[in-house]
Amino acid sequence: MPSSPDSLLSPARNAAPDTVRTPTNAAARKAPESALALVPEARGWLRGLAANPAAPESVRDRLRAAGRAADAPPALTLAGLADAVRATPDAAALRVRLGTSELPDDLAEVALRSAPTDEETVSRAAGAPWRETVLWAKETKETKEAKGTKGFAMHDNVAVSARSPLERRRSAATAIWMPDFDTAALAADPDFTVRMLLAWHHTYAPLAVRQEAYATWADPAWQQLGMRPGFRADGLVRFAAHPRPYARMAALDDPAADFAALSADPSPTVRWWARRNRHLPWQQLRALLVAHPEDAAANPGLPPEVMHRLLDIAAIADVPPVDTRGPSRRPGAGSSAGS
């Protein structure tokens, strides 16, 4: 049995696949199951490769021929993970859907951002006073428009409202019809709900506010924020030390994240997500091929030639290429007899 990742992947990982497809020994070539017994990690590699959305067709063909895989699964995003957990309460079905043999203990809690304890999130889940301020702002706008008043602005709201300054700020964050309110001030507002409402209602709110909502907001609306125009992952690394594990999960979207630290995170789900993250540096991923073979093989960042090498070690036979050129023809073949 190979004792280190270096011995597992010799020759060099940058070699062409045709140069690395050599089973480890004659016994493995004759009996694939003996290869799986000789290399305990091999079973995990096969499970992981079957769940790897980046596995090329050449790898998938070998897995299909060995009865190990069907079609390539879709790449999993944070939002997709939340959807899968929400829609698949059965643990066995969820393991199949996520392509993992073991579910982290805190997966549902982290993926669904459940059990909020902060005041802002709890108040929002309980009905939230800001809902009334939305209606108030809308009614005020319609009343002024009915009277023919032009130039509806935030200072008009302040002048006519007897409500609290906090409620006025929350209503302003939802009021997309107000062209001249101070977006920068709302983006820097100390109230968490003001900033979250601004991120949700204003597509072009400052990126930092939209990233904060994407990483920390417990409302299901956070799932849509990452798909909006202008959203970028660079900068999410600042949530790597956040006390909530789902915010640390979002930090892994940023290639600049400290993957070594997050791979040792207190949360099992954060560690699992880090091991399967396409941005994981090669040296860390290489070490995981022994320590966590299934997760490493499922990582979309695993080079295709390494995928083939793992199949070689597991004694999964190569699949001959299909000749699509058609039957060969001798010179003069096909000419008519009377020509």
Side-chain angles (χ1 to χ4, degrees):
M1 169 182 162
S3 59
S4 72
D6 288 339
S7 61
L8 283 175
L9 300 179
S10 179
R13 75 177 185 91
N14 290 323
D18 287 343
T19 68
V20 298
R21 298 181 188 176
T22 304
T24 52
N25 53 55
R29 288 198 294 274
K30 293 179 180 179
E33 284 304 313
S34 67
L36 297 179
L38 287 168
V39 186
E41 297 87 356
R43 294 186 186 276
W45 296 336
L46 298 182
R47 289 193 299 267
L49 289 173
N52 193 321
E57 279 304 303
S58 57
V59 168
R60 204 154 292 280
D61 286 344
R62 295 178 71 178
L63 289 168
R64 287 193 193 99
R68 300 283 181 173
D71 295 330
L76 197 61
T77 63
L78 273 178
L81 177 64
D83 287 339
V85 172
R86 184 179 294 108
T88 319
D90 179 72
L94 184 58
R95 284 195 295 270
V96 172
R97 185 168 180 177
L98 299 182
T100 182
S101 60
E102 296 183 7
L103 298 174
D105 293 340
D106 61 345
L107 177 62
E109 177 184 343
V110 174
L112 300 181
R113 305 187 173 193
S114 58
T117 56
D118 58 290
E119 177 272 331
E120 298 90 344
T121 305
V122 171
S123 68
R124 177 164 171 71
W130 63 265
R131 296 183 187 278
E132 294 182 11
T133 69
V134 174
L135 294 176
W136 160 73
K138 184 174 184 294
E139 290 168 359
T140 305
K141 171 181 179 290
E142 292 171 348
T143 299
K144 293 177 72 65
E145 287 179 343
K147 293 179 179 180
T149 305
K150 303 295 182 181
F152 183 75
M154 194 59 226
H155 61 78
D156 293 319
N157 268 344
V158 176
V160 301
S161 174
R163 292 176 179 266
S164 73
L166 175 58
E167 290 176 309
R168 289 201 296 270
R169 299 200 312 275
R170 288 179 174 178
S171 69
T174 70
I176 59 176
W177 56 81
M178 297 182 188
D180 54 353
F181 68 81
D182 192 343
T183 304
L186 292 171
D189 197 283
D191 181 65
F192 177 84
T193 301
V194 168
R195 301 193 303 275
M196 297 305 98
L197 293 175
L198 181 70
W200 173 245
H201 287 277
H202 295 267
T203 301
Y204 295 101
L207 178 62
V209 173
R210 288 185 285 146
Q211 287 182 334
E212 180 188 17
Y214 176 80
T216 66
W217 201 15
D219 190 288
W222 77 267
Q223 293 177 247
Q224 300 182 36
L225 295 171
M227 299 181 287
R228 290 187 173 180
F231 186 87
R232 301 194 311 274
D234 53 298
L236 288 171
V237 65
R238 70 184 185 276
F239 297 103
H242 197 279
R244 297 176 200 158
Y246 54 76
R248 302 196 296 275
M249 290 268 284
L252 285 164
D253 282 357
D254 192 333
D258 184 348
F259 286 88
L262 289 166
S263 295
D265 193 88
S267 164
T269 296
V270 175
R271 298 196 301 270
W272 174 80
W273 192 252
R275 293 193 295 266
R276 291 174 173 242
N277 193 287
R278 69 186 188 279
H279 299 305
L280 189 69
W282 163 246
Q283 290 304 323
Q284 294 180 44
L285 177 55
R286 185 170 188 160
L288 290 176
L289 288 168
V290 171
H292 295 278
E294 181 178 334
D295 293 333
N299 192 308
L302 192 68
E305 59 269 25
V306 174
M307 297 183 190
H308 279 291
R309 180 61 176 160
L310 298 181
L311 293 177
D312 292 338
I313 296 171
I316 299 299
D318 204 349
V319 177
V322 177
D323 189 351
T324 59
R325 296 173 297 175
S328 60
R329 301 177 64 184
R330 290 177 290 108
S335 59
S336 61
S339 62

